[in-house]
Amino acid sequence: TVYLYDLKENKVIKKLFANDDFDITGVSLSRNRNYELDYYTFEGEKQEIVPVSDYYKKLHKRITEEFPNKEYSIADKTDDESKYLVFLQSDKLYGEYWSYNVEANKFELLYNLMPQLKGEDMAEMRPITFKSRDGKTIHGYITLPKAALEGQKVPVIVNPHGGPQGVRDSWGFNPEAQLFASRGYATLQVNFRISGGYGREFLESGFKQIGRKAMDDVEDGLKYVISQGWVDPDKAAIYGGSHGGYAVLRGLTKTPDLYAAGVDYVGVSNLFTFMETIPPYWKPYEKILREIWYDEKVPEEKTIMEEVSPVFHIDKIKKPLLVVQGANDPRVNIDESDQIVRALRAKGVDVPYMVKYDEGHGFGKEENRIDLYKAMLGFYAKHLKDEELAPQFRD
């Protein structure tokens, strides 16, 4: 909600704008026109701009007519508002910068961030909405390769986001989802309870539910896209990083028959050791973290932590798992991945384990990311397409 507020009198003058379902992300004022209110922004299924001033209504109409089916933002403008720098994106466009000359009423392309990518080669990302098993409205996205649009049931990669509190997936160009689509896989992203952007009640409904109802929402999302006829229920993998990596391990132990395979990228396996190894820069937030996740000092919560820590339930894992970790990760200590790999290997399970000794919480170096995606795509080909890949030898 946006209010007009009198700081001198310390009181609300009036409510200006609100949305029942989504958080307001911003307002824009014009310095050139005595701080006239131009527009509000919020992120619903897509980024939305709500024009307010007559001036901005005309500008908004001009930009959206010129660039239909694109999201735009004003990256910059001249002080006199005679020229604008407009940034464009969509599910099939990585990003373009355009200039707009108001007097000439003319747009000019300045820079395409990825000119080698053609829109017609890219997959469509569709917003989805469904009801959870306990009646909550849940939003998310499905990226569909061409085969799915032609009516085939395709393999799907379920991709829970990191965070998890206050983070959300968004509509737009997602390089990972496009990579997977180019190989024939759909990608499902669910903004499960505790995700940000959907109001305080939705955020807080996920407190003390990590690995439980938050996980149910992901499963309900998979059930929904299966019911739409887009994906093959027997060919669903689960992949994620950080909390998403935890969700992979939790998914393979909570619902062992639901997923065909999992890729755990810098994920938590043991909530007790995760809490013990939080980095120094998280220490000021430790109390909040325990209020959102779980606190082992509370007996009933300690029981839940044992229930939702995958490392204590590895006997339930019966599907292939690839584990990926940066050795210098300060947030999810390498011990989190070591524990799960060690325990599974002790059982005789073949767990491919990629460790990069020059990386932290996620891979930053291009050569390491290429190694990661090569390994991941080979893993998916083997377990979602039943392709046995020939080993590659180098001279």
Side-chain angles (χ1 to χ4, degrees):
T1 307
V2 181
Y3 294 96
L4 187 63
Y5 194 85
D6 188 325
L7 290 170
K8 205 171 187 181
E9 297 290 325
N10 195 25
K11 66 176 185 182
V12 172
I13 299 169
K14 64 176 176 178
K15 181 160 85 171
L16 295 177
F17 182 70
N19 187 288
D20 292 337
D21 301 309
F22 307 110
D23 293 349
I24 311 306
T25 52
V27 298
S28 180
L29 308 170
S30 168
R31 282 199 314 185
N32 189 49
R33 285 173 277 112
N34 196 30
Y35 296 94
E36 183 178 20
L37 178 57
D38 271 343
Y39 60 86
Y40 307 109
T41 58
F42 68 91
E43 187 178 358
E45 290 185 337
K46 301 179 181 179
Q47 288 284 0
E48 302 287 347
I49 294 172
V50 183
V52 177
S53 67
D54 289 339
Y55 175 93
Y56 200 81
K57 281 176 183 171
K58 287 180 197 155
L59 182 63
H60 177 72
K61 187 169 185 283
R62 178 72 184 92
I63 295 170
T64 51
E65 282 177 352
E66 184 78 19
F67 304 108
N69 306 316
K70 304 277 193 300
E71 285 185 350
Y72 83 87
S73 57
I74 303 296
D76 212 343
K77 61 190 173 187
T78 55
D79 288 344
D80 65 356
E81 297 180 344
S82 64
K83 292 188 178 71
Y84 286 84
L85 182 64
V86 181
F87 182 60
L88 293 181
Q89 275 191 310
S90 79
D91 55 343
K92 298 182 178 186
L93 176 67
Y94 187 79
E96 288 177 346
Y97 284 94
W98 290 73
S99 70
Y100 175 56
N101 184 312
V102 176
E103 192 179 341
N105 191 21
K106 190 177 166 203
F107 288 94
E108 184 185 348
L109 176 62
L110 298 178
Y111 195 70
N112 182 342
L113 294 175
M114 284 210 174
Q116 72 275 30
L117 298 181
K118 306 296 175 221
E120 59 270 20
D121 296 334
M122 298 298 116
E124 177 189 341
M125 181 190 263
R126 266 186 208 177
I128 56 169
T129 303
F130 59 91
K131 286 279 188 212
S132 68
R133 63 191 70 176
D134 59 353
K136 272 202 183 304
T137 299
I138 309 287
H139 300 274
Y141 302 92
I142 180 95
T143 301
L144 295 167
K146 289 185 170 58
L149 300 178
E150 290 161 2
Q152 284 184 45
K153 285 182 167 65
V154 299
V156 60
I157 293 160
V158 181
N159 181 212
H161 64 69
Q165 59 274 7
V167 177
R168 63 162 285 175
D169 284 315
S170 301
W171 186 83
F173 191 93
N174 184 307
E176 265 189 354
Q178 292 294 343
L179 172 66
F180 299 156
S182 74
R183 304 305 195 271
Y185 308 114
T187 298
L188 171 65
Q189 296 168 295
V190 175
N191 284 325
F192 44 85
R193 70 194 72 196
I194 212 172
S195 299
Y198 299 98
R200 184 170 177 171
E201 190 277 326
F202 187 81
L203 175 76
E204 292 184 352
S205 71
F207 289 5
K208 309 293 184 188
Q209 291 299 333
I210 293 167
R212 300 199 293 162
K213 286 185 180 175
M215 224 42 228
D216 292 348
D217 294 342
V218 175
E219 294 156 23
D220 293 346
L222 177 56
K223 194 184 295 181
Y224 172 78
V225 296
I226 290 168
S227 74
Q228 298 302 299
W230 294 319
V231 304
D232 182 343
D234 297 323
K235 295 287 174 72
I238 182 166
Y239 153 65
S242 200
H243 163 268
Y246 162 75
V248 170
L249 299 174
R250 179 67 180 135
L252 293 181
T253 51
K254 181 176 182 283
T255 49
D257 296 312
L258 189 59
Y259 302 106
V263 179
D264 160 25
Y265 183 30
V266 297
V268 174
S269 66
N270 181 335
L271 295 196
F272 296 96
T273 53
F274 172 61
M275 289 296 184
E276 285 163 16
T277 58
I278 62 170
Y281 66 94
W282 272 20
K283 282 291 179 189
Y285 310 108
E286 184 176 353
K287 185 171 181 287
I288 298 168
L289 199 63
R290 290 180 187 277
E291 284 175 10
I292 293 171
W293 287 60
Y294 305 100
D295 188 347
E296 75 267 23
K297 296 184 193 78
V298 181
E300 52 268 38
E301 289 189 25
K302 184 182 180 209
T303 304
I304 293 166
M305 287 171 73
E306 289 165 355
E307 176 200 326
V308 302
S309 290
V311 77
F312 302 126
H313 304 280
I314 58 147
D315 54 313
K316 295 179 183 138
I317 296 179
K318 53 186 183 183
K319 299 296 174 64
L321 173 66
L322 167 63
V323 179
V324 183
Q325 179 70 45
N328 305 314
D329 192 335
R331 269 176 275 178
V332 176
N333 190 286
I334 189 172
D335 182 51
E336 293 298 314
S337 291
D338 284 352
Q339 285 181 70
I340 206 85
V341 172
R342 195 181 298 120
L344 283 168
R345 285 183 176 172
K347 273 181 63 191
V349 178
D350 178 20
V351 187
Y353 186 21
M354 175 181 282
V355 178
K356 294 292 184 183
Y357 291 89
D358 54 350
E359 294 287 6
H361 194 59
F363 294 177
K365 296 180 179 176
E366 186 178 39
E367 62 270 25
N368 291 335
R369 291 205 303 271
I370 289 169
D371 282 352
L372 165 66
Y373 289 113
K374 278 183 174 175
M376 203 189 298
L377 291 172
F379 185 77
Y380 292 148
K382 183 173 181 180
H383 299 296
L384 296 182
K385 291 181 177 174
D386 304 320
E387 291 178 14
E388 198 59 61
L389 300 183
Q392 293 181 347
F393 297 103
R394 290 183 185 164
D395 291 333

